[in-house]
Amino acid sequence: MKLNRSLIAFTAIAALGVTALAGCSAGGGDDKPAAGAALTIAKPDGAITTESHNPYLGDSSASKYGYGKVIFEPLALVNPTGDLKTTPWLAESVEWNADYTQLTVVPRAGVKWSDGEDFTADDIVFTFSMYIDGTLNDTSALNLESVTAEGDSVVLTFAESKFTAQARVLHTPIVPEHIWKDIADPNSDPLTDEGLAVGTGPYVLDNWTTESVTLTANDDYWGGELAVPELHYVSYGDNAALTTALVSGEADWAQAFIPQIEDSYLAADEDNHFLASPTAGAGTLFMNLQTKPFDDPALRQAIAWTVDRQAYVDVAREGASTPIWNVTGLGDLLADEIAPEFEDAVYSVDVDKAKQILTDAGYTWKDDKLIDPDGTAVSFSISVPAGWSDWNTEQALLAEELGEGLGIDVKVDQPDWGGWDAARQEGSFQMIIHWLEDTGNAYGLYTSTMDPKWVVDGKAQFNFGRYDNPAVTEALDTYANTSSDEERAAAVAVLEKAFATDVPAIPLGSHPLLGEFNTRSYEGWPSEDDQYASADPTQPAVVQILTKLTAK
């Protein structure tokens, strides 16, 4: 899963903080607002100057602020954390066939669009038909072949298995046919004309400005009465301004990585809370397997036995992650997919073991510097864009761990985004820290690190090290497409063995979804003990949280 860089970019940019919404937000300190207070949801992305309520456009204000997700709803919510389960939403039920090439959904009865029209199966058929006829760009690679209404159900048939892409299908925003059939170009229309921003969601658009967006509760919402009467979406110039707003009570709910969060946010008010929810993705060391020094698996193995994952979690991520020690690269959330032979196969910080691996492979040391079998001192650079503070911190930790432990000269490289992006795609880097494609299962790790499909015309979107093993490629295909649980288990065993043996990449810690919120007015939030969703208000499950909140 690609990380939202607002989670990890702390370096202050020009402060663009917006004016507080007087009387709209919960107050700080000992001020206890009355029940029924509005919630202000904040981001640190600066002012958004272009109005667009189109849920299919990644750069629309509805997508960037996040308010599109409380207007337009999906068929179901796939939890990326906790129990990873699927909760039917606009559908009363969702059922996949054995090989996940066909999805049958039963539309929820009694749902109305916010303009009063009935929601029906035809709206689902219309929404997905736009992908088939080319009206809407298939940016999620659904590869849908047909969608038809059959009795009380809607049946969607795909060109290939969607076992590893269930969330992409189920999280598709459903839109009203009676409005969208007259939209000439759904790929560009901003939906700013009167009466176009119509959804089934718990909130409806009330007012839009470049400083804030106001939504009010949908009185006819199918999910029942809402405790929160009004939402305000605000964007601040950077994390520092956002933190100040959260501490003062000017903002109530956000998704951000806040440095020294205990002192800077949690200690300010006992009602301030922070939840880091692990996902199946991970912050991962990618190495260029095509060139020295990482073309030698012995060096990769030695590094895997030297890197301190707990330090990554405690120091670089300030506790907002969980370490990944298993040699398969799978974290705790996917422990049930680890083959029995690897259940207890875990790395530790064992420099002596790492040195023995290197010695057996012909490495030596001279003046405490690691020398490869060709007589060359081992040195490489690790690259992360400047300003990605958690990973910048991890760069320094790795340089120290590998320098002191193995005698490797690690150069810290912090280019701008453009240079880093070009190097990772073209394969001109040596080591980078990157995220994984999060599919909610083991496939995400292994396709991200070992699948040749990601390298097209010499440029990589994942598998940046360009690992290529026909047996692994076959196992990836089997995992994604088989209808047999036994075949999928056999395939993942092949993937795990290759990953543990070849060490094509080194996962450090789980990628968390983060949420800061206060409980001054409402309870029912996700918690460590009840992760029915993450607390990130930019995720599809924001609608689930808002239906669970109750006034204190």
Side-chain angles (χ1 to χ4, degrees):
M1 176 187 288
K2 184 176 180 178
L3 293 179
N4 186 322
R5 299 323 307 178
S6 67
L7 299 184
I8 58 179
F10 314 131
T11 300
I13 59 175
L16 298 172
V18 299
T19 304
L21 293 167
C24 293
S25 176
D30 295 328
D31 295 331
K32 302 293 183 181
L39 284 181
T40 296
I41 300 173
K43 294 192 72 180
D45 298 341
I48 298 174
T49 57
T50 303
E51 181 180 5
S52 174
H53 313 306
N54 192 323
Y56 299 117
L57 305 184
D59 61 352
S60 70
S61 56
S63 297
K64 287 186 174 181
Y65 274 120
Y67 65 83
K69 289 183 172 62
V70 301
I71 297 175
F72 301 97
E73 296 184 300
L75 295 173
L77 300 171
V78 181
N79 191 359
T81 189
D83 57 13
L84 303 177
K85 76 175 183 179
T86 296
T87 300
W89 204 250
L90 269 186
E92 291 185 354
S93 65
V94 295
E95 183 177 355
W96 293 94
N97 68 350
D99 64 0
Y100 288 80
T101 58
Q102 193 171 84
L103 172 67
T104 301
V105 303
V106 176
R108 188 172 296 279
V111 177
K112 289 186 177 294
W113 295 100
S114 57
D115 62 359
E117 294 285 334
D118 289 334
F119 161 76
T120 70
D122 291 339
D123 294 305
I124 299 175
V125 172
F126 172 81
T127 295
F128 285 99
S129 292
M130 289 193 292
Y131 291 111
I132 297 174
D133 63 22
T135 302
L136 195 61
N137 294 334
D138 189 10
T139 55
S140 295
L142 300 183
N143 294 328
L144 186 63
E145 290 187 332
S146 67
V147 54
T148 56
E150 299 181 6
D152 294 332
S153 302
V154 174
V155 178
L156 297 90
T157 303
F158 301 88
E160 71 282 311
S161 173
K162 293 301 168 185
F163 178 78
T164 64
Q166 296 172 59
R168 290 212 303 269
V169 175
L170 295 173
H171 287 170
T172 300
I174 306 301
V175 295
E177 179 182 15
H178 66 278
I179 289 177
W180 282 68
K181 65 183 175 60
D182 296 322
I183 294 176
D185 186 4
N187 295 299
S188 62
D189 196 302
L191 303 188
T192 51
D193 289 348
E194 186 71 24
L196 294 187
V198 171
T200 58
Y203 292 84
V204 295
L205 185 66
D206 181 66
N207 186 58
W208 192 98
T209 73
T210 57
E211 291 188 338
S212 67
V213 181
T214 299
L215 296 97
T216 55
N218 181 353
D219 292 336
D220 294 323
Y221 183 52
W222 63 268
E225 186 176 354
L226 298 156
V228 183
E230 196 166 271
L231 303 176
H232 300 284
Y233 283 80
V234 175
S235 187
Y236 293 85
D238 53 39
N239 283 70
L242 174 59
T243 302
T244 299
L246 286 167
V247 170
S248 70
E250 184 178 294
D252 301 299
W253 190 3
Q255 156 259 71
F257 190 107
I258 300 176
Q260 292 83 51
I261 191 168
E262 179 66 43
D263 294 334
S264 62
Y265 172 64
L266 296 177
D269 192 323
E270 64 180 9
D271 287 325
N272 289 346
H273 296 271
F274 169 64
L275 181 65
S277 301
T279 70
T284 300
L285 293 178
F286 280 82
M287 298 160 284
N288 190 334
L289 312 184
Q290 306 306 308
T291 61
K292 291 182 66 172
F294 296 117
D295 57 348
D296 184 359
L299 179 68
R300 305 195 298 265
Q301 291 167 6
I303 291 174
W305 281 101
T306 307
V307 172
D308 189 345
R309 282 80 160 173
Q310 193 63 53
Y312 169 76
V313 170
D314 293 342
V315 181
R317 293 292 301 168
E318 298 191 32
S321 182
T322 52
I324 296 176
W325 291 105
N326 194 277
V327 298
T328 64
L330 298 178
D332 294 342
L333 209 59
L334 299 177
D336 61 349
E337 289 203 65
I338 297 176
E341 66 179 296
F342 294 117
E343 286 179 354
D344 299 320
V346 294
Y347 289 113
S348 62
V349 178
D350 191 337
V351 174
D352 290 340
K353 183 178 182 69
K355 285 185 172 181
Q356 188 60 55
I357 292 171
L358 292 170
T359 298
D360 292 345
Y363 288 78
T364 57
W365 282 264
K366 181 179 180 181
D367 298 328
D368 294 327
K369 299 296 183 184
L370 181 63
I371 307 299
D372 71 18
D374 295 330
T376 303
V378 178
S379 176
F380 60 83
S381 64
I382 177 169
S383 182
V384 172
W388 292 12
S389 299
D390 57 344
W391 287 357
N392 293 156
T393 299
E394 179 60 18
Q395 287 176 289
L397 289 174
L398 288 166
E400 180 179 344
E401 292 164 1
L402 298 177
E404 294 182 359
L406 300 181
I408 299 174
D409 178 22
V410 179
K411 298 177 174 63
V412 172
D413 179 34
Q414 296 182 2
D416 61 20
W417 161 267
W420 181 79
D421 179 44
R424 66 172 179 155
Q425 291 192 53
E426 295 164 2
S428 57
F429 69 95
Q430 290 186 294
M431 177 186 279
I432 59 174
I433 308 177
H434 203 278
W435 51 89
L436 301 175
E437 175 86 340
D438 182 8
T439 59
N441 47 44
Y443 183 83
L445 167 63
Y446 299 128
T447 187
S448 296
T449 58
M450 300 192 292
D451 199 336
K453 77 175 185 180
W454 294 105
V455 184
V456 179
D457 296 330
K459 293 189 175 182
Q461 297 304 311
F462 279 106
N463 187 19
F464 303 106
R466 289 165 166 74
Y467 181 92
D468 193 353
N469 179 332
V472 166
T473 303
E474 181 180 358
L476 284 165
D477 183 66
T478 298
Y479 185 102
N481 293 290
T482 186
S483 58
S484 165
D485 291 339
E486 291 76 14
E487 288 184 1
R488 185 169 288 113
V492 81
V494 171
L495 299 173
E496 291 172 2
K497 184 174 183 179
F499 194 88
T501 302
D502 295 341
V503 193
I506 303 174
L508 299 170
S510 62
H511 162 55
L513 292 170
L514 309 180
E516 293 85 15
F517 55 91
N518 68 64
T519 56
R520 287 185 285 271
S521 296
Y522 300 102
E523 55 191 6
W525 300 90
S527 66
E528 288 188 4
D529 296 329
D530 185 13
Q531 298 213 35
Y532 65 85
S534 78
D536 181 345
T538 69
Q539 297 297 308
V542 62
V543 292
Q544 189 176 18
I545 296 172
L546 287 164
T547 59
K548 286 181 175 289
L549 292 183
T550 57
K552 294 176 71 173

